[in-house]
Amino acid sequence: MRPPVPGPPEKRKPMWGWIWTCVVLAVGAVAYRLLVLGHWEQTSLMFVGLPLALAIGFSFTPPAKTITGGIMRGITFFLLGLGILLIEGFICILMAAPLFYVIGLVVGMIADRKKVQREMDKLRCAVLVVIGFTALEGVVPALSFPRENVVVVVRDLPAGMEEVRARLAAGPELDMERLPAFLKLGFPQATVIEEVGGRWRIHFAGGEGEPGDLWVAVREEGPGRIRYVIEQDDSHIAHWLDWHDGLWELEERPGGTVRATLTVRYRRLLDPAWYFGPIERYGVRKAAEYFSDELFRGLGHGS
């Protein structure tokens, strides 16, 4: 009987793959800190350029099965590192994670094609050229999109004009249990609303960042019109958007009711616009709806 032929020796996973992963993570952490120090943390360099660089860097590592898997693993390590080391808050990581994974997935899926694997150098150059312009949004004015936004919320109130104006003058009593789920993800929350020296002080706490105050003053007031202007915002929300003003327009309707229209104007500070624009608009709308509902809660029902 012939002795069994020994099979090929089992290939050991090269240690340099993990070493390279650590190198990419370290370079990514340094790049992140440089972007923050250069005040580019709100631009597409942070949310497009950095994940693109990480994805290309991780594509050099020898993956267990696919290049895509290796890229996703590396990006996960990077995001976990930001959170564990308290470099960035939960809500920022949560908002940015989809961008990191989508860019990593695109690079990985292309790189996993056999034809492209033989031409990885050309791939990396092509991806950099195509996506590089997107990564410059917020850095180069010519590549930036309009930042001014307007959100409108309408409420039909079962009360007269005098009662509605009295509610506007008194301000809301906020119930955090009624806060929309989206605003509970880790955003700062308004805990105190009070009138101080003819201005409204809204204190924000919770979420990430230090507690801060939003100062609001009445700049225009008429029979059916009240405009509030944001004088100062020391809350962490100022890192994401810049509030301009809020305008209440009151219209008497048939049956002794009032239609109250709240128009909120703000400036988007985060790039890219195609990603953070809809997110910020949704968040502002939910905040305006919550504020309106709390302000007029129980109106016309004796409470």
Side-chain angles (χ1 to χ4, degrees):
M1 177 181 296
R2 300 178 59 184
V5 179
E10 182 179 355
K11 293 184 179 180
R12 301 180 61 182
K13 295 181 180 179
M15 288 299 299
W16 76 265
W18 287 104
I19 295 175
W20 180 254
T21 298
C22 293
V23 170
V24 175
L25 289 173
V27 173
V30 172
Y32 172 89
R33 189 52 67 186
L34 291 176
L35 288 173
V36 173
L37 293 176
H39 303 291
W40 290 326
E41 71 275 16
Q42 296 171 314
T43 70
S44 290
L45 275 179
M46 174 70 77
F47 300 107
V48 176
L50 181 58
L52 175 62
L54 288 172
I56 292 178
F58 290 131
S59 70
F60 281 96
T61 61
K65 293 183 179 180
T66 63
I67 294 177
T68 302
I71 292 175
M72 294 299 176
R73 178 185 60 198
I75 288 177
T76 300
F77 287 159
F78 180 78
L79 294 176
L80 287 176
L82 290 181
I84 294 174
L85 298 177
L86 301 179
I87 297 176
E88 194 54 86
F90 168 77
I91 188 61
C92 285
I93 295 176
L94 182 64
M95 294 295 103
L99 267 178
F100 277 68
Y101 284 119
V102 167
I103 293 174
L105 181 64
V106 171
V107 174
M109 291 180 64
I110 296 176
D112 276 321
R113 295 176 56 187
K114 292 182 179 180
K115 179 179 180 180
V116 178
Q117 287 183 18
R118 296 193 298 267
E119 302 177 359
M120 282 299 294
D121 291 337
K122 294 181 180 179
L123 165 69
R124 295 184 181 99
C125 292
V127 172
L128 280 174
V129 171
V130 172
I131 306 183
F133 286 103
T134 305
L136 293 177
E137 183 180 348
V139 179
V140 179
L143 298 178
S144 300
F145 291 89
R147 299 182 178 277
E148 303 302 327
N149 288 268
V150 177
V151 169
V152 179
V153 172
V154 179
R155 291 291 183 266
D156 289 318
L157 308 173
M161 182 67 74
E162 291 186 3
E163 191 175 358
V164 171
R165 291 187 64 87
R167 281 296 183 93
L168 287 173
E173 294 183 4
L174 301 180
D175 182 359
M176 291 295 104
E177 296 297 325
R178 299 166 60 90
L179 193 69
F182 179 79
L183 300 180
K184 294 181 180 179
L185 291 177
F187 296 101
Q189 299 178 6
T191 57
V192 176
I193 298 181
E194 60 181 355
E195 189 174 4
V196 180
R199 299 187 302 167
W200 286 99
R201 169 181 171 266
I202 306 176
H203 181 72
F204 285 89
E208 62 183 50
E210 298 294 332
D213 295 329
L214 178 68
W215 291 91
V216 183
V218 177
R219 281 292 180 268
E220 179 183 347
E221 187 170 5
R225 183 183 179 91
I226 303 176
R227 187 167 72 94
Y228 298 91
V229 175
I230 309 302
E231 292 190 336
Q232 184 176 345
D233 187 2
D234 299 323
S235 72
H236 198 73
I237 298 175
H239 292 264
W240 306 319
L241 57 87
D242 182 16
W243 301 105
H244 289 332
D245 59 17
L247 173 64
W248 280 107
E249 295 177 289
L250 308 177
E251 177 188 359
E252 290 186 296
R253 307 282 289 179
T257 62
V258 172
R259 170 165 291 179
T261 302
L262 173 60
T263 302
V264 179
R265 297 191 309 119
Y266 69 94
R267 179 178 177 84
R268 174 183 53 82
L269 299 180
L270 295 178
D271 295 305
W274 63 266
Y275 181 76
F276 286 109
I279 293 178
E280 289 194 1
R281 175 175 289 274
Y282 179 78
V284 171
R285 177 172 297 279
K286 299 306 291 185
E289 291 175 348
Y290 168 73
F291 180 82
S292 301
D293 293 339
E294 292 299 284
L295 181 63
F296 299 120
R297 179 153 49 98
L299 190 67
H301 298 287
S303 58

